[in-house]
Amino acid sequence: MQDDLQLIDQFKNNSKSAFEKLYIRYAGKMKSVAYRYTGNRDEAEDVLHDAFIKVYEKINSLKDNSLFEGWLRRIVVN
């Protein structure tokens, strides 16, 4: 968890490598969430990528870094 908080801080400070590490860390879990909602692997992959684009654009709106996973999950679900 502490490592995640540091990665999120680095990402908020425009670190592309931190974003890549967060993507690698959460992609599998979030793809499973997307699959549960879509029922289709290709659509789940599209949802995952769209969600991470939104995360990339909106990361500074996340006030509490400890809520990142729930915030990301909500983006995937929506």
Side-chain angles (χ1 to χ4, degrees):
M1 179 70 166
Q2 185 62 30
D3 189 39
D4 284 359
L5 297 178
Q6 291 172 338
L7 283 174
I8 294 163
D9 277 337
Q10 291 169 5
F11 173 38
K12 284 182 172 181
N13 289 315
N14 298 318
S15 170
K16 303 234 186 308
S17 66
F19 177 75
E20 290 174 22
K21 289 175 185 172
L22 287 168
Y23 182 90
I24 291 167
R25 183 164 295 163
Y26 288 99
K29 189 185 293 188
M30 293 304 131
K31 186 174 178 182
S32 295
V33 170
Y35 181 72
R36 273 186 252 138
Y37 281 87
T38 64
N40 178 294
R41 295 205 186 278
D42 291 332
E43 285 182 37
E45 190 75 31
D46 289 343
V47 168
L48 176 70
H49 288 132
D50 290 347
F52 271 97
I53 289 169
K54 183 159 265 188
V55 165
Y56 191 85
E57 295 171 345
K58 303 290 184 179
I59 189 63
N60 288 316
S61 70
L62 177 64
K63 302 292 185 229
D64 184 350
N65 291 355
S66 66
L67 302 176
F68 178 77
E69 185 173 351
W71 181 71
L72 173 58
R73 181 182 300 267
R74 178 57 40 205
I75 290 170
V76 169
V77 168
N78 288 340

